[in-house]
């Protein structure tokens, strides 16, 4: 029997790729999203790619009643993957209460319903941002947390603690997945990042600049003590990331997880600088990019990349895509979006 999985934030960037991966790997999916920063076009792409039309609910998880309707309609939900959250670091600094209210209230509601409706597995979309401004990399899951660099980061730290405390004496198990820098798009060219608000992350900024939606872009800081002066991050392809969620659910469903709450880093395990990403984009696509070398962006960590040995050992997860795959799929997606007249 195919386990039924509720994906919150399922029309978002990582959520939509994860639904596809679940359907391709023996699970059924139900999607809930408020669509405040995404639209439902990915559901059409998912249908084209898999032949499956999945149930979709437009609801804000802060609305407990509306969210409960999903559980009433699907009392056989076996697992939850909880992506739904606000994620703009800069906005979180300006509007911390918006972030605390939205990201934490929604988490509390979905946890409450998961427990009341007997869900067995809960996967949480966390982030390497929980490690804060680390002094050395790679970081593994035991690397102590530093002060969160933003209220967004704080909601991930508190979210992890809420889940750990809540599940301690229950029979629901959870996995906290700490993503490094997700990027790239589905190789079909039918799905990718499609935010309503202008993206701030490096790879979509690069592709938007290359296609002419932005005149130029800025490299935030070239005086860091790194090999070329720009920041180092661990860029992981969204399809590799999505597959880790399916493996995490199966790890719990198959009774292989002993601990109540497991924690896994998801990155490629290798750091690249901003200038190296720009170089990879230009080399792979043959498009030259207009960029300027600018000041540091407040709140940026100099360098962070992962040790993902644990995910390899226990989940059997290995990232397959390279930085060249990331930039080429992101570029195909940008061109397709532009041809379809999407801003
Ligand atoms: C941060 C968080 C990540 C979170 C994400 C949400 C950390 C370490 N990472 O990612 O967990 O999920 O925000 O948005 O806290 N850059 C430029 N020019 C640009 C845009 C970015 O130079 O126009 C540089 C940044 O300075 C950074 C790198 O590119 O060095 C990556 O930036 P970005 O894609 O925004 O991700 P993070 O800030 O690393």
């Amino acid at each position: 029997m195919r386990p039924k999985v509720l994906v919150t934030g399922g029309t978002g960037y990582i959520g939509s790729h994860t639904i596809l991966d679940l359907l391709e790997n023996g699970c059924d999916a139900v999607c809930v999203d408020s669509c405040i920063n995404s639209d439902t076009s990915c559901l059409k792409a998912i249908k084209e790619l898999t032949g499956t039309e999945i149930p979709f609910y437009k609801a804000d998880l802060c609305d407990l009643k509306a969210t409960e309707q999903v559980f009433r309609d699907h009392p056989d939900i076996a697992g939850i993957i909880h992506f739904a959250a606000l994620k703009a670091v800069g906005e979180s600094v300006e509007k911390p209460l918006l972030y605390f209210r939205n990201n934490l209230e929604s988490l509390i509601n979905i946890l409450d319903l998961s427990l009341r409706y007997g869900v067995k597995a809960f996967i949480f979309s966390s982030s390497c941002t929980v490690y804060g401004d680390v002094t050395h990399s790679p970081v593994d899951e035991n690397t102590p947390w530093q002060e969160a660099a933003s209220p967004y980061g704080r909601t991930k730290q508190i979210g992890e603690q809420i889940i750990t405390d809540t599940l301690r004496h229950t029979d629901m198990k959870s996995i906290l997945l700490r993503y490094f820098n997700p990027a790239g798009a589905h190789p079909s060219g039918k799905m990718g990042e499609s935010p309503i608000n202008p993206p701030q992350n490096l790879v979509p900024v690069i592709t938007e600049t290359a296609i002419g939606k932005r005149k130029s872009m800025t490299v935030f800081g070239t005086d860091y003590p790194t090999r070329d002066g720009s920041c180092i991050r661990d860029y992981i392809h969204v399809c590799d990331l999505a597959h880790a969620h399916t493996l995490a659910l199966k790890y719990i469903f198959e009774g292989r997880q002993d601990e109540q709450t497991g924690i896994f880093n998801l990155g490629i395990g290798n750091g690249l600088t901003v200038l190296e990403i720009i170089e990879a984009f230009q080399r792979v696509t043959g498009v030259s990019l207009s960029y300027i070398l600018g000041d540091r962006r407040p709140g940026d960590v100099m360098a962070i990349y992962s040790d993902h040995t644990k995910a390899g050992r226990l989940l059997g997860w290995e990232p397959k895509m390279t930085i060249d795959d990331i930039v080429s799929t992101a570029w195909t997606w940008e061109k397709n979006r532009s041809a379809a007249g999407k801003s």
Side-chain angles (χ1 to χ4, degrees), residues 109-181:
N109 284 348
I110 197 80
L111 270 179
D112 179 10
L113 290 165
S114 303
L115 289 168
R116 283 203 268 134
Y117 283 80
V119 172
K120 291 284 169 275
F122 191 94
I123 312 296
F124 180 59
S125 174
S126 188
S127 165
C128 69
T129 196
V130 298
Y131 296 112
D133 195 356
V134 292
T135 48
H136 70 277
S137 280
V139 293
D140 68 21
E141 293 81 358
N142 296 317
T143 300
W145 289 357
Q146 308 296 321
E147 191 71 17
S150 69
Y152 159 78
R154 184 85 69 195
T155 66
K156 292 297 178 192
Q157 290 182 335
I158 299 172
E160 288 201 5
Q161 290 167 330
I162 289 175
I163 294 167
T164 308
D165 285 348
T166 305
L167 268 53
R168 197 160 278 134
H169 302 294
T170 71
D171 60 3
M172 181 162 82
K173 294 204 168 182
S174 70
I175 288 183
L176 315 174
L177 295 178
R178 294 179 180 160
Y179 315 148
F180 282 68
N181 286 62

Side-chain angles (χ1 to χ4, degrees), residues 14 86-90 126-134 149-150 152-153 156 178-183 193 199-206 209 214 216-221 224 230-235 272-275 277-278 292 294-304:
I14 309 173
L86 298 175
K87 61 163 192 170
V89 175
S126 188
S127 165
C128 69
T129 196
V130 298
Y131 296 112
D133 195 356
V134 292
S150 69
Y152 159 78
K156 292 297 178 192
R178 294 179 180 160
Y179 315 148
F180 282 68
N181 286 62
E193 192 163 12
Q200 310 292 329
N201 296 109
L202 180 63
V203 173
V205 166
I206 289 176
T209 308
R214 298 171 191 240
S216 172
M217 62 166 289
T218 304
V219 176
F220 295 139
Y224 287 99
S230 63
C231 289
I232 293 179
R233 295 288 183 275
D234 181 338
Y235 296 88
L272 290 172
T273 69
V274 176
L275 291 169
I277 302 294
I278 290 175
I292 55 168
D295 293 338
R296 294 181 178 195
R297 181 171 70 174
D300 266 345
V301 171
M302 173 188 69
I304 184 163

